[in-house]
Amino acid sequence: MNGVQMITDKEHFMTRLEVFPATKVSGANTLNIDENVVRKFNGFGVAITGASCYNLNAMKKEERQEFLKKVYSKEGIGLNIGRLSIGASDYSAEIYSYDDVPFDTELKHFSVERDKKYIIPMIKEILEINPDLYLFASPWSPPGWMKTGGNMCGGYMREEFLECYAEYVIKFIKAYAENGIKISALTPQNEPNTQQAGQMPACIWHPETEAKYIKILKKKLEENNLDVKIWMFDHNFNDTQRVLWELDNCEDLAKNCSGVAFHYYGGTIEETLKIRELYPEIELHFTEGGPRLYDNYGTDWCKWGIMISKAIKCGYSSFTGWNLMLNELGGPNIGPFLCGGLITRNNDTAELTFSGQYKAFSHIAPYINENSEIYPVCVGREYGSSMSSYPSEIRDIEGFCINNNDGKYVIVLVNPNNTKSQVQFYLNDTWTYVELTPESISTIIMEK
């Protein structure tokens, strides 16, 4: 069973090496392929933020088309999910909602006109390349007049406006549909546990307020014959107890939402396994996490390879990063954070720089589809690490095996250590030996 290994490390990107059958190497790490299959992983994506659309719009059309094909076509890395913001996020060029007229509860002034300048056109260009792109949308803030403080930056959602706000979101879905953009899922609020010190569009939601709103929104979606899913929460792993409390104590919440959305900025993804255990019918979605502009921006493929592998092993249904494209300053940006885009475009030179997350996606996204059978992989070691290596203890190889029933196995392996790792695995009655260079991610394709 011959194969090919594609490897990315500090000296290589998707470098191809031939792989051969081998006898067992007694000193190599043996990879155990779990028999418990993961199914229905829906895919990968990034947020098509206002800032991303602003940067895309600055490109020449032919250059933009080439770039978008690299990201969204099957000939490229084939991303098939996109996250949109309902009004402004912190990665927008300006702060606005779709109705900034105070206390316009009849929403007579509702309009998505600002989005028609460059946001809607850029989304439509992406849809031309991938018409099957699954789009979900998240608000960073309701209009300021629906909140304490009266400002989009900070404050708490006021319950007296829940009905009005649900109508506002219905209008958004319909307005985007009129422009040829189908929204397939919603989160009620991006990061409902923080107001970010008033430094960006943000809003705090009490758990009971969120549950009430989801019930109202679900009813309105049904009344308007809109087939749109609701994914609750949309915040960090370490607030899993909040999610469980809501599901346990708020009437019909589990019936009215089909998923829970999580970010990776706090806690560990394993904390969320309790939700799968207690509410197996509810999907889990990784909806935000991206490269940092000044922190290993182009070399953090191991970090994202590990995070993706953990999400798949924990039964998540999708994995969505943060901004598609930002400039070399991490903008436009109306918030306090120094995020990088999946790709950076230099304002002055138009040069494109690709992040470590993009490189990790390149190793994984093209090989998984919704019909894939995915098997977790772990390293079987008879002994742990030698204490003489402390505190630089060797970390485990992370990875998984994909079977698309197309005559091939695809194995993704991440070696996060600064030393080479010898590994071997047993497939189709044959041992295969490969070497993982330091701080590398590999995709190994084996013919059956």
Short mmCIF file of all heavy atoms in Angstrom, two decimals, residues 46 52 55-56 59-73 76-77 79 126 129 323-326 341-345 352-354 358:
data_model
loop_
_atom_site.label_atom_id
_atom_site.label_comp_id
_atom_site.label_asym_id
_atom_site.label_seq_id
_atom_site.Cartn_x
_atom_site.Cartn_y
_atom_site.Cartn_z
N VAL A 46 -14.51 30.50 7.50
CA VAL A 46 -14.03 31.68 8.20
C VAL A 46 -15.14 32.72 8.21
O VAL A 46 -16.13 32.59 7.48
CB VAL A 46 -12.75 32.27 7.57
CG1 VAL A 46 -11.54 31.42 7.87
CG2 VAL A 46 -12.93 32.48 6.08
N SER A 52 -13.13 42.17 6.22
CA SER A 52 -12.68 41.29 5.15
C SER A 52 -13.23 41.76 3.80
O SER A 52 -12.50 41.81 2.80
CB SER A 52 -13.13 39.85 5.42
OG SER A 52 -12.55 39.34 6.60
N ASN A 55 -11.42 44.85 2.49
CA ASN A 55 -10.13 44.52 1.88
C ASN A 55 -10.29 43.81 0.55
O ASN A 55 -9.54 44.06 -0.40
CB ASN A 55 -9.29 43.68 2.85
CG ASN A 55 -8.73 44.50 3.99
OD1 ASN A 55 -8.01 45.46 3.79
ND2 ASN A 55 -9.08 44.12 5.22
N LEU A 56 -11.26 42.91 0.46
CA LEU A 56 -11.52 42.24 -0.81
C LEU A 56 -11.91 43.25 -1.89
O LEU A 56 -11.46 43.17 -3.05
CB LEU A 56 -12.64 41.21 -0.65
CG LEU A 56 -12.32 39.92 0.09
CD1 LEU A 56 -13.60 39.14 0.35
CD2 LEU A 56 -11.32 39.07 -0.67
N MET A 59 -9.19 45.00 -3.89
CA MET A 59 -8.42 44.23 -4.86
C MET A 59 -8.94 44.44 -6.28
O MET A 59 -10.12 44.70 -6.48
CB MET A 59 -8.46 42.73 -4.52
CG MET A 59 -7.95 42.37 -3.16
SD MET A 59 -8.15 40.60 -2.79
CE MET A 59 -6.81 39.89 -3.76
N LYS A 60 -8.08 44.29 -7.25
CA LYS A 60 -8.53 44.23 -8.63
C LYS A 60 -9.36 42.96 -8.81
O LYS A 60 -9.05 41.92 -8.24
CB LYS A 60 -7.34 44.21 -9.58
CG LYS A 60 -6.52 45.50 -9.55
CD LYS A 60 -5.33 45.40 -10.49
CE LYS A 60 -4.51 46.69 -10.44
NZ LYS A 60 -3.31 46.61 -11.31
N LYS A 61 -10.40 43.05 -9.64
CA LYS A 61 -11.35 41.94 -9.71
C LYS A 61 -10.69 40.63 -10.11
O LYS A 61 -10.98 39.58 -9.51
CB LYS A 61 -12.48 42.27 -10.69
CG LYS A 61 -13.55 41.18 -10.69
CD LYS A 61 -14.81 41.59 -11.41
CE LYS A 61 -15.86 40.50 -11.28
NZ LYS A 61 -17.13 40.86 -11.93
N GLU A 62 -9.78 40.66 -11.09
CA GLU A 62 -9.16 39.42 -11.53
C GLU A 62 -8.28 38.82 -10.43
O GLU A 62 -8.22 37.59 -10.26
CB GLU A 62 -8.35 39.62 -12.81
CG GLU A 62 -7.23 40.64 -12.74
CD GLU A 62 -7.68 42.07 -13.01
OE1 GLU A 62 -8.91 42.34 -12.98
OE2 GLU A 62 -6.80 42.91 -13.28
N GLU A 63 -7.60 39.68 -9.65
CA GLU A 63 -6.80 39.19 -8.53
C GLU A 63 -7.69 38.63 -7.44
O GLU A 63 -7.38 37.60 -6.82
CB GLU A 63 -5.93 40.32 -7.98
CG GLU A 63 -4.86 40.81 -8.93
CD GLU A 63 -4.12 42.02 -8.40
OE1 GLU A 63 -4.50 42.52 -7.31
OE2 GLU A 63 -3.16 42.47 -9.06
N ARG A 64 -8.82 39.30 -7.21
CA ARG A 64 -9.77 38.83 -6.19
C ARG A 64 -10.35 37.48 -6.58
O ARG A 64 -10.49 36.59 -5.74
CB ARG A 64 -10.86 39.87 -5.99
CG ARG A 64 -11.85 39.50 -4.89
CD ARG A 64 -12.76 40.66 -4.54
NE ARG A 64 -13.63 41.07 -5.63
CZ ARG A 64 -13.59 42.26 -6.22
NH1 ARG A 64 -12.71 43.17 -5.83
NH2 ARG A 64 -14.43 42.55 -7.20
N GLN A 65 -10.71 37.32 -7.84
CA GLN A 65 -11.27 36.06 -8.30
C GLN A 65 -10.27 34.92 -8.11
O GLN A 65 -10.64 33.83 -7.65
CB GLN A 65 -11.66 36.18 -9.77
CG GLN A 65 -12.91 37.00 -10.01
CD GLN A 65 -14.16 36.34 -9.47
OE1 GLN A 65 -14.50 35.23 -9.86
NE2 GLN A 65 -14.85 37.02 -8.57
N GLU A 66 -9.03 35.17 -8.44
CA GLU A 66 -7.99 34.15 -8.26
C GLU A 66 -7.84 33.79 -6.79
O GLU A 66 -7.72 32.62 -6.42
CB GLU A 66 -6.67 34.67 -8.82
CG GLU A 66 -5.53 33.67 -8.71
CD GLU A 66 -4.21 34.22 -9.23
OE1 GLU A 66 -4.21 35.34 -9.81
OE2 GLU A 66 -3.19 33.54 -9.04
N PHE A 67 -7.86 34.82 -5.94
CA PHE A 67 -7.73 34.59 -4.50
C PHE A 67 -8.92 33.80 -3.95
O PHE A 67 -8.75 32.81 -3.22
CB PHE A 67 -7.63 35.94 -3.78
CG PHE A 67 -7.84 35.85 -2.30
CD1 PHE A 67 -6.85 35.35 -1.47
CD2 PHE A 67 -9.05 36.23 -1.74
CE1 PHE A 67 -7.06 35.26 -0.10
CE2 PHE A 67 -9.26 36.14 -0.38
CZ PHE A 67 -8.26 35.65 0.45
N LEU A 68 -10.14 34.20 -4.31
CA LEU A 68 -11.33 33.54 -3.78
C LEU A 68 -11.42 32.09 -4.25
O LEU A 68 -11.88 31.23 -3.50
CB LEU A 68 -12.59 34.31 -4.18
CG LEU A 68 -12.75 35.70 -3.52
CD1 LEU A 68 -13.98 36.41 -4.06
CD2 LEU A 68 -12.82 35.59 -2.00
N LYS A 69 -10.96 31.80 -5.46
CA LYS A 69 -10.92 30.42 -5.91
C LYS A 69 -9.94 29.59 -5.08
O LYS A 69 -10.19 28.42 -4.79
CB LYS A 69 -10.55 30.37 -7.40
CG LYS A 69 -11.66 30.82 -8.32
CD LYS A 69 -11.21 30.82 -9.78
CE LYS A 69 -12.32 31.34 -10.69
NZ LYS A 69 -11.87 31.42 -12.10
N LYS A 70 -8.84 30.22 -4.68
CA LYS A 70 -7.85 29.53 -3.84
C LYS A 70 -8.46 29.12 -2.49
O LYS A 70 -8.10 28.10 -1.92
CB LYS A 70 -6.64 30.44 -3.63
CG LYS A 70 -5.47 29.79 -2.91
CD LYS A 70 -4.39 30.82 -2.62
CE LYS A 70 -3.73 31.33 -3.87
NZ LYS A 70 -2.76 30.34 -4.42
N VAL A 71 -9.40 29.93 -2.01
CA VAL A 71 -10.00 29.68 -0.69
C VAL A 71 -11.26 28.83 -0.78
O VAL A 71 -11.45 27.91 0.03
CB VAL A 71 -10.30 31.03 0.02
CG1 VAL A 71 -11.01 30.78 1.36
CG2 VAL A 71 -9.03 31.82 0.24
N TYR A 72 -12.13 29.09 -1.76
CA TYR A 72 -13.47 28.51 -1.74
C TYR A 72 -13.75 27.44 -2.81
O TYR A 72 -14.74 26.73 -2.71
CB TYR A 72 -14.52 29.62 -1.87
CG TYR A 72 -14.59 30.49 -0.64
CD1 TYR A 72 -14.01 31.75 -0.62
CD2 TYR A 72 -15.20 30.03 0.52
CE1 TYR A 72 -14.05 32.54 0.52
CE2 TYR A 72 -15.26 30.81 1.67
CZ TYR A 72 -14.68 32.07 1.67
OH TYR A 72 -14.71 32.84 2.79
N SER A 73 -12.90 27.31 -3.81
CA SER A 73 -13.19 26.31 -4.84
C SER A 73 -12.63 24.95 -4.45
O SER A 73 -11.76 24.84 -3.59
CB SER A 73 -12.60 26.75 -6.18
OG SER A 73 -11.20 26.56 -6.19
N GLY A 76 -9.03 24.72 -4.82
CA GLY A 76 -8.28 25.34 -3.73
C GLY A 76 -8.45 24.54 -2.47
O GLY A 76 -8.50 23.30 -2.50
N ILE A 77 -8.58 25.24 -1.31
CA ILE A 77 -8.74 24.50 -0.05
C ILE A 77 -10.20 24.18 0.24
O ILE A 77 -10.51 23.46 1.18
CB ILE A 77 -8.09 25.23 1.14
CG1 ILE A 77 -8.74 26.59 1.42
CG2 ILE A 77 -6.59 25.39 0.91
CD1 ILE A 77 -8.23 27.24 2.69
N LEU A 79 -13.07 25.82 1.36
CA LEU A 79 -13.89 26.19 2.51
C LEU A 79 -15.35 26.25 2.09
O LEU A 79 -15.68 26.77 1.03
CB LEU A 79 -13.44 27.53 3.09
CG LEU A 79 -12.01 27.61 3.64
CD1 LEU A 79 -11.79 28.92 4.38
CD2 LEU A 79 -11.68 26.42 4.54
N ILE A 126 -18.28 35.46 -3.70
CA ILE A 126 -17.87 34.19 -3.10
C ILE A 126 -18.89 33.10 -3.45
O ILE A 126 -18.52 31.96 -3.79
CB ILE A 126 -17.72 34.33 -1.57
CG1 ILE A 126 -16.54 35.27 -1.25
CG2 ILE A 126 -17.49 32.97 -0.91
CD1 ILE A 126 -16.44 35.66 0.21
N ILE A 129 -18.48 31.42 -6.74
CA ILE A 129 -17.44 30.39 -6.77
C ILE A 129 -17.91 29.13 -6.05
O ILE A 129 -17.66 28.02 -6.50
CB ILE A 129 -16.14 30.95 -6.13
CG1 ILE A 129 -15.57 32.04 -7.04
CG2 ILE A 129 -15.11 29.85 -5.89
CD1 ILE A 129 -14.48 32.86 -6.41
N ASN A 323 -11.46 36.27 10.83
CA ASN A 323 -11.52 37.06 9.60
C ASN A 323 -10.89 36.38 8.38
O ASN A 323 -9.77 35.87 8.46
CB ASN A 323 -10.79 38.38 9.81
CG ASN A 323 -11.42 39.23 10.88
OD1 ASN A 323 -12.35 39.98 10.62
ND2 ASN A 323 -10.90 39.12 12.10
N LEU A 324 -11.59 36.43 7.26
CA LEU A 324 -11.06 35.93 6.01
C LEU A 324 -9.81 36.70 5.58
O LEU A 324 -8.78 36.11 5.25
CB LEU A 324 -12.13 36.02 4.91
CG LEU A 324 -11.68 35.81 3.47
CD1 LEU A 324 -11.05 34.45 3.27
CD2 LEU A 324 -12.86 36.01 2.52
N MET A 325 -9.90 38.03 5.57
CA MET A 325 -8.78 38.86 5.11
C MET A 325 -8.72 40.17 5.89
O MET A 325 -9.74 40.85 6.03
CB MET A 325 -8.91 39.17 3.61
CG MET A 325 -7.86 40.15 3.09
SD MET A 325 -8.08 40.58 1.36
CE MET A 325 -7.33 39.15 0.59
N LEU A 326 -7.54 40.50 6.40
CA LEU A 326 -7.29 41.80 7.02
C LEU A 326 -6.04 42.40 6.38
O LEU A 326 -5.29 41.72 5.68
CB LEU A 326 -7.10 41.66 8.53
CG LEU A 326 -8.30 41.12 9.33
CD1 LEU A 326 -7.93 40.96 10.79
CD2 LEU A 326 -9.52 42.03 9.18
N GLY A 341 -5.85 38.16 9.79
CA GLY A 341 -6.78 37.47 8.93
C GLY A 341 -6.26 36.09 8.56
O GLY A 341 -5.08 35.79 8.74
N LEU A 342 -7.14 35.26 8.02
CA LEU A 342 -6.68 34.00 7.46
C LEU A 342 -5.58 34.30 6.44
O LEU A 342 -4.58 33.61 6.36
CB LEU A 342 -7.84 33.27 6.79
CG LEU A 342 -7.53 31.89 6.21
CD1 LEU A 342 -7.34 30.87 7.33
CD2 LEU A 342 -8.62 31.44 5.24
N ILE A 343 -5.80 35.39 5.69
CA ILE A 343 -4.80 35.91 4.77
C ILE A 343 -4.66 37.41 5.04
O ILE A 343 -5.64 38.09 5.34
CB ILE A 343 -5.21 35.67 3.29
CG1 ILE A 343 -5.24 34.18 2.97
CG2 ILE A 343 -4.25 36.38 2.34
CD1 ILE A 343 -6.58 33.54 3.11
N THR A 344 -3.44 37.92 4.94
CA THR A 344 -3.17 39.35 5.09
C THR A 344 -2.91 39.95 3.71
O THR A 344 -2.15 39.39 2.91
CB THR A 344 -1.94 39.58 5.99
OG1 THR A 344 -2.24 39.12 7.31
CG2 THR A 344 -1.58 41.06 6.05
N ARG A 345 -3.52 41.11 3.46
CA ARG A 345 -3.23 41.86 2.24
C ARG A 345 -2.59 43.18 2.61
O ARG A 345 -3.15 43.97 3.36
CB ARG A 345 -4.50 42.11 1.42
CG ARG A 345 -4.23 42.87 0.11
CD ARG A 345 -5.50 43.08 -0.67
NE ARG A 345 -5.23 43.70 -1.97
CZ ARG A 345 -5.17 45.03 -2.17
NH1 ARG A 345 -5.37 45.86 -1.15
NH2 ARG A 345 -4.92 45.51 -3.37
N LEU A 352 0.06 39.33 -0.67
CA LEU A 352 -0.72 38.46 0.20
C LEU A 352 0.21 37.60 1.05
O LEU A 352 1.18 37.03 0.54
CB LEU A 352 -1.64 37.56 -0.62
CG LEU A 352 -2.68 38.26 -1.51
CD1 LEU A 352 -3.53 37.21 -2.23
CD2 LEU A 352 -3.56 39.21 -0.71
N THR A 353 -0.10 37.50 2.34
CA THR A 353 0.64 36.65 3.27
C THR A 353 -0.34 35.67 3.89
O THR A 353 -1.41 36.06 4.36
CB THR A 353 1.32 37.49 4.37
OG1 THR A 353 2.12 38.51 3.76
CG2 THR A 353 2.19 36.62 5.26
N PHE A 354 0.06 34.39 3.93
CA PHE A 354 -0.86 33.34 4.37
C PHE A 354 -0.52 32.89 5.78
O PHE A 354 0.63 32.62 6.10
CB PHE A 354 -0.81 32.17 3.38
CG PHE A 354 -1.35 32.53 2.03
CD1 PHE A 354 -0.57 33.21 1.11
CD2 PHE A 354 -2.66 32.22 1.70
CE1 PHE A 354 -1.07 33.56 -0.13
CE2 PHE A 354 -3.17 32.56 0.45
CZ PHE A 354 -2.38 33.24 -0.46
N TYR A 358 -4.31 29.09 7.70
CA TYR A 358 -4.55 28.76 6.30
C TYR A 358 -3.78 27.49 5.92
O TYR A 358 -4.32 26.61 5.23
CB TYR A 358 -4.12 29.92 5.40
CG TYR A 358 -4.20 29.59 3.92
CD1 TYR A 358 -5.38 29.82 3.22
CD2 TYR A 358 -3.12 29.05 3.24
CE1 TYR A 358 -5.47 29.51 1.87
CE2 TYR A 358 -3.21 28.73 1.89
CZ TYR A 358 -4.38 28.96 1.21
OH TYR A 358 -4.46 28.64 -0.12
#
